[in-house]
């Protein structure tokens, strides 16, 4: 899921990316990335017991 938020009057341009991955061991992982558009961003990986657990974490 990609979320793009822009507000030129506030000089705001942000990008958020949420991805669900399956690890080699079968566990689920939720990858969250965020940044100001045009800059290097940050990344956080959350481990879950399965892919459905990672999907539930998006809704939380």
């Amino acid at each position: 899921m990609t979320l793009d938020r822009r507000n030129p009057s506030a000089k705001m341009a942000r990008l958020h990316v949420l991805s669900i991955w399956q690890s080699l061991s079968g566990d689920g992982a939720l990858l969250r990335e965020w940044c100001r558009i045009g800059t290097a961003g940050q990344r956080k990986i959350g481990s879950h017991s399965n892919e459905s657990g990672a999907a539930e974490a998006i809704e939380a």
Side-chain angles (χ1 to χ4, degrees):
M1 175 186 314
T2 302
L3 306 170
D4 184 351
R5 183 175 179 192
R6 297 172 191 247
N7 184 346
S9 63
K11 297 183 180 180
M12 177 178 36
R14 296 184 181 149
L15 179 69
H16 298 264
V17 180
L18 302 172
S19 305
I20 297 174
W21 295 83
Q22 183 177 17
S23 68
L24 294 174
S25 63
D27 296 340
L30 174 60
L31 173 64
R32 300 173 192 250
E33 299 176 271
W34 63 94
C35 67
R36 292 187 66 169
I37 295 174
T39 65
Q42 297 182 17
R43 181 178 293 177
K44 182 177 181 179
I45 300 174
S47 297
H48 299 275
S49 59
N50 53 34
E51 289 185 39
S52 63
E56 291 174 9
I58 289 176
E59 296 174 7

